Structure formats: C-alpha cells, structure tokens
Amino acid sequence: MKQRDTVAMTDDEVGALLAYQRKIQIATINPDGTPHLVTMFFAAAGGRIAFWTYRASQKARNLARDPRLTCLVEDGEGYFELRGAQISGTVTVIADLPGVTGVGRLIAARMPDIPDDALDAYVAHAAPKRTAYLVDPARITSWDHRKLLA
C-alpha cells in the first residue's frame, strides 16, 4: 500500500477537520496566471465551504473572471501531527443580501473575537459590501500523518 493511501482521510474525517478549523487558505488565479493566496475565516454551509469577501477584493475580481480555486485547511505542528485537506473546484456566487448575510452570520459565529451580542450588528454592517461564495469541490486530497503512528 502506498503511503498516500495510508494517510488519506475519510469523508467523515475531512468533515470533522472542516468543522474544527476556522481558517482556510484560498488560492485564486490572478489575470497574469499567478496564484493569489489568502487566509480567511470560513464556515460549512450544506456540506460545502462558505466564505465571503469584499466585492472589490482581488479574490472577488479573480473569481468573477475565473471561478476556479483551491482551498487548504490544515492542522498540526509536528510532522506526525500534520493533517489537512486540499479542496479544488469552482465557486457558486451568492450576491443577494439575504444570502450574503446568512453566510456572513455562519462565519462570524465561528470568529473568536466577535462576541455573541455584537454578531448581528457586525454582519449587518459588513454584508452590504460583500459577496459570498460556496465551494463546489471537484477534487479533495487529504492527509493525516497521525495515522503513520498507528
């Protein structure tokens, strides 16, 4: 058996990682073909990765031109603790205010520095300037180096 097969995560394990982590690295494609990579907060919505960003941001402009992206969620410090999932696919755009607000609320609820009593005000203030996205996965690659010790 190949080592890749040994460390691959099950769908449930990937889902648990996405539920546990709050930050995701998102790579979009710049006009010149180079990657544009950012770290953002995210949430799960209907089993898909959901994120939002300012409509005028570089990633929003990139996704409007080319909906392809790759996302990375990772965890661990030492080699035998490393685990992660790389999700490549395309995005579904959510531009209507109720949809953007719903995604924003999911994300903001997971952010450690927004108190519950300020959540609705933060989302209501931020949502009109943003676009939300759902990731439609085409390929998921995962690894969990903790399995190497089993």
Side-chain angles (χ1 to χ4, degrees):
M1 180 184 297
K2 293 189 271 183
Q3 187 173 17
R4 162 87 28 227
D5 297 333
T6 302
V7 300
M9 296 167 67
T10 66
D11 291 344
D12 287 343
E13 290 168 333
V14 170
L17 177 66
L18 295 177
Y20 168 73
Q21 289 295 357
R22 293 186 303 248
K23 294 184 289 182
I24 192 166
Q25 297 168 9
I26 296 175
T28 60
I29 304 166
N30 283 318
D32 66 0
T34 59
H36 177 261
L37 182 64
V38 296
T39 301
M40 305 186 63
F41 286 103
F42 79 101
R48 296 191 290 175
I49 291 168
F51 66 96
W52 68 346
T53 188
Y54 289 105
R55 286 191 302 268
S57 70
Q58 184 64 53
K59 72 190 116 350
R61 293 193 317 267
N62 288 347
L63 291 169
R65 189 185 65 263
D66 185 339
R68 296 177 296 164
L69 80 168
T70 297
C71 304
L72 175 68
V73 177
E74 55 85 22
D75 187 36
E77 297 297 323
Y79 181 79
F80 292 105
E81 298 172 348
L82 293 179
R83 62 187 178 135
Q86 176 182 288
I87 299 101
S88 297
T90 57
V91 292
T92 296
V93 178
I94 301 172
D96 64 286
L97 186 56
V100 172
T101 300
V103 168
R105 191 164 209 311
L106 290 172
I107 295 164
R110 293 169 44 102
M111 294 170 64
D113 54 346
I114 299 180
D116 289 343
D117 60 346
L119 186 80
D120 289 331
Y122 166 74
V123 173
H125 174 75
K129 304 173 213 158
R130 297 187 182 228
T131 301
Y133 301 89
L134 296 175
V135 177
D136 301 309
R139 179 176 178 180
I140 299 174
T141 304
S142 65
W143 56 94
D144 184 347
H145 287 189
R146 299 173 306 176
K147 294 180 177 186
L148 295 171
L149 298 175

